[in-house]
Amino acid sequence: MKVKKTSVVGILAVQGDFAMHARMLERMGAPWKLVKSAADLAEIDGLIIPGGETTTILKFLAGGMGKELKEFAEQGNPVFGTCAGAILLAKEVLNPSQANLGLIDISIERNAYGRQVDSAIRQGLCPELSDHPVEMVFIRAPIIRRVGDGVKILGKTEELPVLVEQGNILAATFHPELTDNDIVHRYFLKKLDATRGGAKPFQ
Ligand code: GLN
């Protein structure tokens, strides 16, 4: 049996800022692979769904690998969604209601900060990940309006949950790939290594 030594992080490369996630992982020295079809899922240990436009990504998933992606997550493989990715992972999407993968028990409202404030950098806190305030980039970002009982809030800004986790699923309403701070990616890589049954933790 072929045993891979290090986890490979897949990045869904349909639309959106997948290249920035690749840049972050490259800088961290973590192996990554762009995922463009269901066949690619067999070669990765975890998946990042990047920010972009959910309507566009959904069209692709509906016509292609949506079912396989859901199965990949349901098998326990870590999946991390940022912004549009978080919307796709949510159990319920508001403004408007739309199809989703339903993998984390949150209700999330699209474009919830209003039109005039398209983008903003806010300071947030992720006490389990860092002792320092974290700079968070929001771009036409959603707001998590409801968090189910099994969901852990890992990060907050302005009293709102912005980084949440349920089992193998991690979701951020901001874009950690757009700053130099790699704590969220580092956290995700640790989840991958934990899933692989005590393989060497990512340093
Ligand atoms: N507004 C986008 C959507 O609803 C998400 C924006 C983003 O990913 N930066 O799909």
Side-chain angles (χ1 to χ4, degrees), residues 50-55 82-85 87 98 110-111 139-142 175:
E53 276 305 318
T54 44
T55 42
T82 57
C83 202
I87 298 170
Q98 66 184 24
R110 293 179 61 204
N111 302 314
I139 303 172
R140 286 172 295 108
H175 287 265

Side-chain angles (χ1 to χ4, degrees), residues 58 75 85 109 149 184 191:
L58 270 174
Q75 282 157 11
E109 182 184 337
D149 285 345
V184 184
K191 277 174 88 68

Side-chain angles (χ1 to χ4, degrees), residues 11 33 58 69 82 91 97 105 120 124 172 175:
I11 309 167
K33 176 182 171 60
L58 270 174
L69 199 160
T82 57
K91 187 163 175 189
S97 167
D105 187 15
H175 287 265

Side-chain angles (χ1 to χ4, degrees), residues 4-189:
K4 273 190 278 165
K5 288 214 176 56
T6 322
S7 304
V8 177
V9 185
I11 309 167
L12 188 68
V14 173
Q15 184 266 342
D17 79 333
F18 52 87
M20 296 305 285
H21 281 284
R23 201 184 74 144
M24 172 69 92
L25 294 171
E26 186 68 35
R27 234 187 40 207
M28 297 170 76
W32 55 272
K33 176 182 171 60
L34 294 183
V35 170
K36 298 184 182 208
S37 71
D40 292 334
L41 295 172
E43 292 171 42
I44 59 167
D45 303 289
L47 179 70
I48 294 178
I49 306 180
E53 276 305 318
T54 44
T55 42
T56 310
I57 302 174
L58 270 174
K59 271 185 206 147
F60 173 85
L61 292 180
M65 58 183 287
K67 186 170 157 278
E68 288 88 349
L69 199 160
K70 198 166 170 169
E71 277 166 15
F72 178 82
E74 284 168 352
Q75 282 157 11
N77 295 300
V79 179
F80 173 27
T82 57
C83 202
I87 298 170
L88 292 168
L89 290 172
K91 187 163 175 189
E92 185 186 27
V93 181
L94 315 164
N95 188 34
S97 167
Q98 66 184 24
N100 46 14
L101 295 163
L103 290 164
I104 182 165
D105 187 15
I106 57 172
S107 300
I108 195 162
E109 182 184 337
R110 293 179 61 204
N111 302 314
Y113 287 96
R115 283 204 174 160
Q116 62 279 54
V117 195
D118 263 352
S119 311
I121 295 176
R122 301 184 172 88
Q123 299 295 321
L125 291 175
C126 304
E128 288 186 38
L129 279 60
S130 173
D131 294 336
H132 307 286
V134 182
E135 195 170 81
M136 299 173 175
V137 180
F138 292 84
I139 303 172
R140 286 172 295 108
I143 290 180
I144 296 169
R145 296 294 188 194
R146 183 194 61 85
V147 168
D149 285 345
V151 177
K152 188 167 170 186
I153 298 173
L154 290 171
K156 275 189 170 185
T157 175
E158 295 167 1
E159 301 301 312
L160 293 167
V162 293
L163 178 65
V164 292
E165 174 182 58
Q166 185 173 27
N168 56 319
I169 309 296
L170 183 66
T173 57
F174 57 101
H175 287 265
E177 74 285 5
L178 295 182
T179 66
D180 288 337
N181 189 341
D182 63 12
I183 54 160
V184 184
H185 286 77
R186 197 164 283 279
Y187 185 80
F188 183 59
L189 291 173

